[in-house]
């Protein structure tokens, strides 16, 4: 074998066996790396803050939920997600239709409850005012404290005693990297 003095170029390398390559390459030595050279899965912990990690969605169109309660009442419309990392945020959005049979002065509210941690979003007031079916959206950013499954449920919040009917409910949960 010939001893090389000075620079080594491609013609000197030939077919170098991968087993002969050891150690690491310093970042400064990597001038350009094309995306086609990257394979595998990026670990969730490597995603920048604010990245959407996962999304789950559920639709509840099969039956109407009715309540005349004036306190926070579970509607049975709920969805669960298991966070990939403790401390991540969960952006929960619930949309649907609500009809209030209580008359022109009646109104209802909606809230989102994290039934795992027993915490609520703020109330979204004056939903379904009068006897017209109206669309509502409730949205809240919750923080997770563990990687155990979290359940989020639509609640009819504090409101009057009118008969509130909920249908066409869609729940979307997005895990956001902290």
């Amino acid at each position: 074998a010939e001893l090389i003095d000075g620079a080594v170029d491609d013609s000197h390398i030939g077919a170098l066996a991968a087993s002969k390559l050891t150690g690491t390459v310093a970042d400064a030595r990597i001038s350009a790396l094309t995306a086609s050279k990257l394979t595998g899965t990026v670990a969730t912990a490597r995603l920048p803050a604010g990245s959407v990690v996962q999304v789950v969605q559920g639709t509840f169109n099969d039956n109407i939920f009715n309540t005349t309660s004036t306190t926070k009442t579970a509607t049975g419309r709920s969805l669960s997600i298991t966070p990939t990392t403790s401390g991540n945020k969960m952006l929960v959005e619930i949309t649907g239709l609500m009809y209030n049979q209580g008359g022109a002065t009646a109104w209802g509210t909606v809230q989102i409850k994290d039934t795992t941690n027993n915490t609520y979003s703020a109330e979204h007031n004056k939903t379904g005012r009068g006897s017209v079916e109206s669309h509502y959206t409730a949205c809240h950013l919750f923080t997770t404290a563990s990687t155990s499954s979290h359940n989020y449920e639509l609640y009819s919040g504090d409101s009057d005693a009118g008969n509130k009917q909920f249908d066409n409910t869609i729940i979307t949960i997005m895990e956001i990297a902290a």
Side-chain angles (χ1 to χ4, degrees):
E2 177 182 335
L3 187 58
I4 300 171
D5 185 20
V8 176
D9 61 24
D10 289 344
S11 67
H12 292 106
I13 294 176
L16 182 62
S19 63
K20 300 292 184 189
L21 299 173
T22 60
T24 59
V25 177
D27 289 344
R29 297 255 183 218
I30 301 173
S31 61
L33 180 63
T34 62
S36 64
K37 302 286 186 205
L38 300 173
T39 61
T41 303
V42 176
T44 302
R46 294 276 192 212
L47 295 174
S51 297
V52 176
V53 177
Q54 64 173 319
V55 178
V56 295
Q57 187 175 61
T59 303
F60 305 87
N61 292 332
D62 52 347
N63 59 5
I64 293 175
F65 171 78
N66 289 293
T67 182
T68 57
S69 176
T70 58
T71 61
K72 292 179 180 80
T73 304
T75 65
R77 279 123 169 89
S78 68
L79 189 63
S80 296
I81 188 170
T82 302
T84 60
T85 304
S86 177
N88 277 353
K89 307 286 186 188
M90 293 295 173
L91 180 59
V92 182
E93 179 185 71
I94 302 179
T95 63
L97 297 173
M98 188 181 105
Y99 175 77
N100 194 332
Q101 295 177 334
T105 60
W107 56 273
T109 63
V110 291
Q111 287 182 282
I112 303 168
K113 181 179 182 183
D114 177 345
T115 62
T116 306
N117 292 328
N118 201 31
T119 57
Y120 290 89
S121 70
E123 288 186 12
H124 298 268
N125 291 312
K126 297 189 171 107
T127 301
R129 187 167 185 80
S131 57
V132 177
E133 187 171 60
S134 63
H135 183 268
Y136 67 87
T137 298
C139 190
H140 190 77
L141 190 63
F142 292 90
T143 301
T144 62
S146 71
T147 55
S148 62
S149 179
H150 285 257
N151 187 63
Y152 299 95
E153 183 168 1
L154 173 66
Y155 266 63
S156 174
D158 298 326
S159 60
D160 66 21
N163 183 25
K164 294 163 287 295
Q165 296 179 342
F166 293 87
D167 62 356
N168 297 323
T169 304
I170 299 171
I171 302 175
T172 305
I173 306 171
M174 291 183 274
E175 181 180 3
I176 310 293

